[in-house]
């Protein structure tokens, strides 16, 4: 009967139908098929808005960015592609992994701009690289003599911000957008920034200058800061008891929030673990509390502690995932439970993120509890309670998992995906938009789905993840690089000195010397673990424990990016292969491709932009990081800016077990999972 209504009313009615319903009605009703076919652009544009594949304000911009890849039926094909990506995020669509070897070794921070096609990395030993995501080659770099060790890097809309060894922050602007008149008079770049910029432009000469940056400003903080975060256009930098907010495009200090440690009923904020900023609020993760300040008034409008969180949570159960061939993500089962936070479960907020829309907030505790609050302003204004508004996911549900510490939190604003790294895996959380909420009775659900990235399961290597980023179509993180088959020789040097840095440096030089020279054969070193048994690879697993064949050795001429990681310890995964990354240009969709078999596959988040960054934003290396060896040779006279920074052990990724003493050497590179 609906087809007998005026066209405008019929189309308005169709705008409330999810994609799978649109396909079904075209098959069962000739009149509806004619109506939808005739008004295809309008119908699928409304479907994209309904499923939140695109925000209302970005409709035309989003489609314009897709037009070079689409030929006719733009909105229909756009919906199909976004649906395929959404299936991948939920472990029900194809995906692939890639090792970006050109990013070098010992990666510390990662920032990705998929629209620009670049990844920005800083390193444990210093330096900054800009790498091409497609061609896997270095486009531009800053030397280790300029960018400090463990530099935290922020990036948004063409601006790079990173810290120096002093209390200053450097701001660099994308070269194609750089305007000399934008350089501020009060905080201009210093001579060293200008000199290094000229040297980088000379060594990375390019007619297009894609991936190149130029120095814009050198911001001098009023006092040393412990954490900073850049969400365009605002940079927030927090000291012990005061936060400073800068407008990056104009390089102006626009606000100061004093007394962020002020005492209240639960106590003080505590040691700052993390900061975040939006247009209206500033967020602080302390060792004692999570606090939200209203920027306009500079006052606390919300605070809580981990012990004040509701006891009801959804446990992410281990071992419940069912692997699907060709899929890098596997789904996990959730079960509702209550947990009593006793003295043995002392916890603190570890990180917080807010969507660029300013509506949604996620926070992670150190013991693996993820708090998701949609429309958190309703909680701030006390329209609803935190217990009613929040969903809590517990990634450490069992008592034997108390040591499953959190490692990283990332939030993708373009799609609302949340990524969490713990000692048990890398997890992707998708928030549902309950389109069918009023249409039928459903069992109790958390409103989210949880998947784990398959093949990256080593607890030892998961502890080394120092950065995780969610983009529009993938996840990026640092992981131990693959290497050609072979073993390092055993080294007879005895246990390393732990409390004497100078002695440790000399001991390390001897280790490197013996490794490079062939080493001794006295097995004081019990074992040299090349891959830790869990480094991803693309060929079959060797019969010898601890050895893997690598198909990523470019010198051998292999191309294994289309195949999934293979685990030594997970035999079930060794026979699986992954399909190639689906192309954007697709054939016209058949009705079954729009069949969303699960209700939770009906939507994505409405947030836009991109926001995710490191857990520990301090200017010094995190105290929770495992010990990492620095470079052996500090002589930079022969420095090559076109090559990755120098690292210990001649760039090889090794882990040494000396008797029962584990010496980790984190030489990780960038990996990505793409949908």
């Amino acid at each position: 009967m609906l087809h007998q209504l005026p066209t405008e009313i019929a189309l308005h009615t169709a705008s409330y139908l999810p994609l799978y319903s649109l396909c079904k009605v075209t098959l069962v009703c000739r009149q509806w098929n004619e109506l939808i076919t005739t008004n295809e652009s309008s119908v699928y544009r409304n479907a994209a808005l309904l499923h939140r594949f695109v925000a209302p304000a970005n409709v035309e911009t989003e489609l314009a960015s897709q037009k070079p890849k689409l030929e006719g039926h733009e909105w229909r094909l756009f919906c199909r592609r976004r649906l395929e990506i959404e299936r991948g995020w939920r472990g029900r669509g194809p995906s692939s992994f890639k090792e970006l070897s050109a990013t070098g070794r010992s990666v510390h921070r990662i920032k990705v701009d998929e629209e620009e096609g670049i990844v920005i990395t800083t390193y444990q030993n210093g330096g900054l690289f800009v790498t091409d995501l497609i061609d896997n080659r270095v486009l531009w770099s800053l030397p280790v003599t300029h960018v400090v060790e463990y530099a935290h890097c922020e990036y948004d809309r063409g601006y790079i911000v990173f810290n120096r060894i002093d209390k200053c922050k450097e701001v660099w602007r994308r070269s194609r957008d750089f305007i000399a008149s934008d350089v501020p008079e009060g905080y201009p770049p210093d001579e060293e920034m200008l000199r290094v910029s000229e040297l980088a432009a000379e060594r990375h000469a390019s007619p297009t200058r894609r991936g190149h940056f130029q120095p814009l400003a050198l911001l001098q903080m009023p006092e040393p800061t412990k954490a900073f975060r850049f969400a365009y256009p605002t940079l927030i930098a927090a000291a012990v008891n005061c936060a400073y907010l800068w407008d990056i495009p104009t390089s102006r200090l626009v606000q100061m929030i004093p007394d962020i440690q002020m005492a209240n009923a639960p106590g003080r904020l505590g040691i700052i673990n993390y900061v975040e900023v939006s247009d209206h609020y500033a967020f602080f993760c302390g060792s004692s509390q999570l606090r939200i300040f209203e920027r306009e008034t500079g006052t606390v409008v919300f605070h809580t502690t981990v012990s004040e969180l509701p006891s009801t949570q959804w446990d992410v159960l281990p071992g419940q995932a069912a692997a699907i061939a060709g899929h890098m993500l596997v789904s996990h089962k959730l079960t509702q439970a209550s947990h009593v936070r006793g003295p043995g479960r002392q916890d603190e907020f570890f990180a917080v993120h807010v969507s660029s829309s300013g509506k949604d907030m996620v926070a992670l505790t150190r013991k693996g509890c993820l708090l998701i609050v949609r429309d958190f302003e309703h909680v701030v204004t006390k329209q609803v309670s935190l217990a009613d508004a929040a969903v809590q996911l517990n990634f450490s549900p069992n008592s034997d998992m108390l040591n499953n510490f959190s490692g990283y939190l990332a939030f993708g604003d373009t799609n609302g995906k949340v990524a969490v790294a713990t000692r048990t895996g890398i997890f992707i959380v998708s928030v549902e938009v309950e389109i069918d909420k009023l249409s039928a009775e459903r069992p109790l659900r958390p409103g989210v789905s949880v998947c784990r990235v398959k093949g990256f399961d080593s607890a030892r290597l998961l502890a080394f993840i120092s950065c995780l980023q969610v983009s529009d179509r993938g996840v990026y993180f640092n992981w131990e690089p693959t290497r050609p088959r072979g073993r390092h020789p055993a080294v007879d040097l005895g246990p390393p000195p732990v409390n004497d840095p100078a002695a440790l440096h000399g001991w390390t030089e001897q280790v490197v010397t013996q490794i490079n020279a062939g080493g001794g054969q006295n097995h004081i070193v019990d074992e040299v673990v090349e891959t830790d048994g869990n480094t991803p690879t693309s060929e079959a697993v060797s019969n010898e424990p601890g050895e893997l064949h690598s198909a990523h050795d470019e010198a051998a001429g292999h191309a294994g990016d289309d195949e999934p990681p293979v685990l030594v310890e997970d035999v079930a995964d060794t026979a699986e292969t992954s399909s190639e990354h689906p192309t954007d240009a697709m054939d016209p969709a058949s009705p079954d491709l729009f069949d969303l078999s699960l209700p939770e596959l009906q939507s994505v988040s409405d947030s836009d932009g991109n926001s995710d960054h490191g857990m520990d934003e301090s200017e010094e290396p995190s105290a929770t990081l495992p010990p990492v060896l620095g470079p052996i040779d500090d002589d930079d006279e022969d420095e090559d800016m076109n090559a990755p920074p120098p690292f210990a052990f001649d760039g090889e990724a090794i882990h040494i077990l000396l008797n029962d003493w584990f010496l980790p050497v984190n030489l990780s590179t960038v990996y990505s999972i793409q949908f």
Side-chain angles (χ1 to χ4, degrees):
M1 295 293 293
L2 289 176
H3 63 273
Q4 298 178 357
L5 297 173
T7 301
E8 292 79 5
I9 297 177
L11 289 176
H12 182 72
T13 303
S15 68
Y16 292 95
L17 294 177
L19 286 169
Y20 63 87
S21 296
L22 285 175
C23 291
K24 289 180 179 178
V25 298
T26 60
L27 297 176
V28 300
C29 180
R30 181 178 302 172
Q31 290 87 352
W32 270 98
N33 179 59
E34 181 180 352
L35 175 70
I36 292 175
T37 302
T38 304
N39 301 276
E40 186 177 75
S41 177
S42 176
V43 168
Y44 285 100
R45 177 183 182 277
N46 291 334
L49 292 170
L50 178 68
H51 288 268
R52 301 186 182 182
F53 291 158
V54 57
N58 299 332
V59 170
E60 301 304 329
T61 302
E62 183 69 31
L63 184 59
S65 66
Q66 298 288 330
K67 279 188 177 180
K69 306 173 185 178
L70 303 177
E71 297 177 1
H73 308 290
E74 287 92 348
W75 279 112
R76 185 169 182 244
L77 292 178
F78 173 77
C79 286
R80 182 191 178 190
R81 178 65 186 120
R82 297 308 307 183
L83 183 61
E84 192 71 18
I85 293 173
E86 182 64 16
R87 286 181 180 274
W89 279 112
R90 297 173 185 265
R92 300 188 175 275
S95 53
S96 61
F97 85 99
K98 182 177 182 180
E99 178 183 343
L100 297 171
S101 57
T103 57
R105 306 291 178 88
S106 204
V107 169
H108 179 56
R109 289 290 187 254
I110 305 168
K111 289 296 174 182
V112 176
D113 186 339
E114 285 187 335
E115 183 178 347
E116 189 73 9
I118 60 174
V119 57
I120 302 166
T121 45
T122 60
Y123 299 86
Q124 299 164 42
N125 296 65
L128 182 147
F129 273 30
V130 178
T131 306
D132 191 304
L133 282 175
I134 305 301
D135 297 338
N136 190 26
R137 61 186 178 90
V138 176
L139 299 174
W140 185 79
S141 66
L142 293 175
V144 296
T145 53
H146 185 77
V147 182
V148 299
E149 299 177 356
Y150 293 94
H152 176 64
C153 175
E154 289 289 338
Y155 173 84
D156 199 358
R157 303 196 192 184
Y159 292 92
I160 294 178
V161 183
F162 59 86
N163 59 279
R164 291 165 52 134
I165 198 169
D166 54 19
K167 62 182 182 180
C168 297
K169 304 287 187 292
E170 292 192 16
V171 181
W172 293 65
R173 182 72 168 120
R174 189 164 49 197
S175 291
R176 78 162 188 263
D177 302 324
F178 180 84
I179 301 175
S181 59
D182 290 340
V183 175
E185 294 182 1
Y187 302 98
D190 62 8
E191 294 183 0
E192 178 63 16
M193 293 173 66
L194 297 174
R195 185 191 70 81
V196 171
S197 176
E198 293 177 358
L199 182 60
E202 179 181 347
R203 294 194 176 184
H204 299 283
S206 167
T208 62
R209 297 193 300 172
R210 188 171 75 86
H212 288 211
F213 289 80
Q214 292 183 240
L216 178 66
L218 180 60
L219 305 182
Q220 301 176 22
M221 301 294 118
E223 60 179 310
T225 55
K226 301 294 294 182
F228 67 97
R229 164 79 171 122
F230 173 46
Y232 184 88
T234 305
L235 171 75
I236 180 172
V240 174
N241 195 37
C242 188
Y244 303 93
L245 283 71
W246 298 73
D247 181 77
I248 289 300
T250 60
S251 302
R252 293 185 300 111
L253 180 62
V254 294
Q255 186 178 0
M256 181 182 70
I257 302 178
D259 201 13
I260 59 177
Q261 294 282 354
M262 70 178 71
N264 54 21
R268 296 186 179 275
L269 177 63
I271 299 173
I272 297 176
N273 293 326
Y274 208 66
V275 294
E276 175 66 293
V277 66
S278 69
D279 290 342
H280 302 291
Y281 299 98
F283 304 77
F284 300 88
C285 273
S287 57
S288 299
Q289 296 182 38
L290 169 66
R291 292 183 175 182
I292 302 178
F293 283 73
E294 187 179 49
R295 289 182 55 179
E296 183 177 356
T297 61
T299 59
V300 178
V301 293
F302 175 82
H303 63 83
T304 188
T305 64
V306 175
S307 61
E308 293 175 335
L309 295 178
S311 61
T312 301
Q313 304 175 6
W314 290 86
D315 288 346
V316 181
L317 299 182
Q320 299 293 326
I324 302 177
H327 296 189
M328 290 296 300
L329 266 61
V330 290
S331 60
H332 274 250
K333 181 180 178 180
L334 304 178
T335 182
Q336 194 174 36
S338 295
H339 295 272
V340 178
R341 295 181 174 91
R345 284 283 293 180
Q346 294 299 319
D347 204 352
E348 64 185 61
F349 285 104
F350 190 38
V352 63
H353 278 297
V354 62
S355 64
S356 61
S357 65
K359 294 182 178 180
D360 307 324
M361 181 185 74
V362 295
L364 181 67
T365 74
R366 196 171 294 277
K367 288 294 183 69
C369 180
L370 178 67
L371 182 72
I372 304 174
V373 186
R374 302 295 302 271
D375 295 321
F376 75 90
E377 279 191 305
H378 292 166
V379 177
V380 170
T381 57
K382 296 181 171 54
Q383 298 180 48
V384 297
S385 66
L386 180 64
D388 293 334
V391 172
Q392 290 186 80
L393 299 179
N394 182 19
F395 290 94
S396 301
N398 301 322
S399 58
D400 59 348
M401 298 177 65
L402 294 180
N403 291 325
N404 178 28
F405 292 98
S406 302
Y408 216 90
L409 172 68
F411 190 20
D413 279 345
T414 58
N415 48 25
K417 305 302 177 188
V418 181
V420 176
T422 73
R423 293 289 182 90
T424 59
I426 302 171
F427 298 91
I428 306 298
V429 180
S430 298
V431 180
E432 301 172 10
V433 178
E434 300 181 6
I435 295 175
D436 62 339
K437 182 177 180 180
L438 302 178
S439 62
E441 294 277 337
R442 296 193 306 175
L444 186 64
R445 300 166 54 145
V448 300
S449 66
V450 178
C451 292
R452 176 178 54 82
V453 178
K454 180 178 64 178
F456 296 87
D457 305 301
S458 166
R460 183 180 297 168
L461 296 182
L462 285 165
F464 281 104
I465 291 181
S466 62
C467 198
L468 180 70
Q469 183 171 22
V470 177
S471 67
D472 180 52
R473 296 189 302 177
V475 182
Y476 296 80
F477 54 93
N478 60 318
W479 193 262
E480 181 181 82
T482 57
R483 306 194 301 115
R485 187 180 181 183
R487 283 186 174 273
H488 288 288
V491 182
D492 184 2
L493 289 175
V498 178
N499 299 320
D500 188 344
L504 177 61
H505 184 81
W507 179 91
T508 305
E509 287 183 321
Q510 295 180 58
V511 172
V512 176
T513 301
Q514 291 210 26
I515 287 176
N516 292 336
Q521 298 304 317
N522 296 328
H523 293 276
I524 289 182
V525 177
D526 294 327
E527 182 182 3
V528 180
V529 184
E530 298 174 9
T531 60
D532 197 40
N534 289 83
T535 299
T537 182
S538 299
E539 294 183 3
V541 179
S542 167
N543 292 327
E544 182 179 351
E547 288 195 8
L548 294 174
H549 296 279
S550 173
H552 291 276
D553 184 4
E554 295 179 358
H558 296 295
D561 287 345
D562 294 331
E563 298 179 6
V566 176
L567 282 172
V568 171
E569 299 172 359
D570 190 353
V571 180
D573 292 342
T574 59
E576 296 179 5
T577 57
S578 173
S579 61
E580 295 183 356
H581 188 289
T583 58
D584 287 334
M586 291 180 151
D587 296 331
S590 57
D592 62 320
L593 289 176
F594 286 119
D595 182 14
L596 298 177
S597 56
L598 293 179
E600 69 265 25
L601 290 180
Q602 295 179 359
S603 59
V604 292
S605 172
D606 62 343
S607 55
D608 52 5
N610 188 293
S611 167
D612 57 323
H613 57 293
M615 301 295 299
D616 179 11
E617 307 309 313
S618 64
E619 296 182 351
E620 299 295 332
S622 171
T624 62
L625 287 175
V628 179
L629 294 182
I632 302 303
D633 185 4
D634 294 326
D635 185 5
D636 295 314
E637 293 180 359
D638 297 326
E639 170 190 313
D640 182 4
M641 294 182 63
N642 293 299
F647 299 107
F649 302 107
D650 197 25
E652 296 291 342
I654 65 175
H655 299 270
I656 304 177
L657 279 172
L658 294 126
N659 299 324
D660 295 327
W661 199 91
F662 178 66
L663 175 64
V665 181
N666 182 12
L667 300 182
S668 58
T669 191
V670 177
Y671 272 78
S672 68
I673 308 296
Q674 295 291 313
F675 307 108

